[in-house]
Amino acid sequence: MSKIFTKRLMKELLDLKHNPPAGVVLEDVNDLKCWKINIIGAKDTLYDGEIFTLQFTFSNNYPIDSPEVVFINHIPVHPHFYSNGHICLSILYDHWSPALTVSSVCLSIISMLSSCTKKVHPIDNDRYVMMAKANPKLTTWEFSDDTV
């Protein structure tokens, strides 16, 4: 592990433990490279009070490279979340910036949940799930719908 990787993740971990954003709860960090974080649906939204677990897996090139982020266990039914846990969110792929953090990714996902008006799977969910690799970072994503 590189020094920048360890230093950055330790800082983010301490921030999450001591000052978590609203709706974000650190669930488990058995290994610095793999975190489980619960996010809670915001009040008065379709997902009000629902708890979803995200798994963040970090490469040794973090924060230069984005983490792999997937839902595990209870996966929200949402137009940008596939039933295998993969998330169609540009900041996790093409629009990643080292300035982004685990907290900012979680807040972006909570925002996506909060703005959703209808619980539906992505149109191509079945086909995608059948053909997708385990790591969503190996998918060539097309970001054409910013309405949800």
Side-chain angles (χ1 to χ4, degrees):
M1 269 189 254
S2 72
K3 188 174 181 178
I4 189 170
F5 169 86
T6 304
K7 185 176 180 181
R8 169 69 179 264
L9 279 179
M10 287 304 296
K11 179 185 181 325
E12 288 194 47
L13 183 59
L14 288 173
D15 286 347
L16 266 176
K17 281 183 178 178
H18 300 297
N19 191 26
V24 178
V25 178
L26 187 61
E27 173 70 20
D28 183 34
V29 179
N30 283 335
D31 173 356
L32 197 56
K33 288 185 142 193
C34 187
W35 301 6
K36 290 183 177 80
I37 298 175
N38 289 336
I39 58 171
I40 303 163
K43 188 169 176 50
D44 299 324
T45 69
L46 286 177
Y47 304 92
D48 187 344
E50 290 186 58
I51 299 171
F52 305 102
T53 304
L54 293 168
Q55 180 173 284
F56 283 73
T57 305
F58 304 93
S59 76
N60 288 333
N61 291 327
Y62 182 81
I64 304 305
D65 290 340
S66 65
E68 175 190 332
V69 183
V70 295
F71 282 102
I72 57 174
N73 304 327
H74 178 53
I75 300 165
V77 176
H78 184 281
H80 291 275
F81 304 152
Y82 288 86
S83 60
N84 64 353
H86 291 190
I87 302 166
C88 183
L89 176 61
S90 64
I91 63 169
L92 296 177
Y93 312 104
D94 299 355
H95 295 125
W96 173 256
S97 163
L100 294 167
T101 63
V102 171
S103 290
S104 62
V105 169
C106 289
L107 289 173
S108 292
I109 293 170
I110 290 172
S111 176
M112 289 174 73
L113 288 168
S114 297
S115 64
C116 186
T117 58
K118 192 174 186 181
K119 288 186 176 185
V120 295
H121 286 292
I123 294 168
D124 62 340
N125 183 73
D126 293 342
R127 183 182 55 81
Y128 175 79
V129 169
M130 189 171 60
M131 304 195 57
K133 297 189 178 358
N135 182 343
K137 292 180 68 171
L138 300 176
T139 296
T140 302
W141 294 97
E142 182 179 315
F143 305 106
S144 58
D145 178 12
D146 62 358
T147 61
V148 180

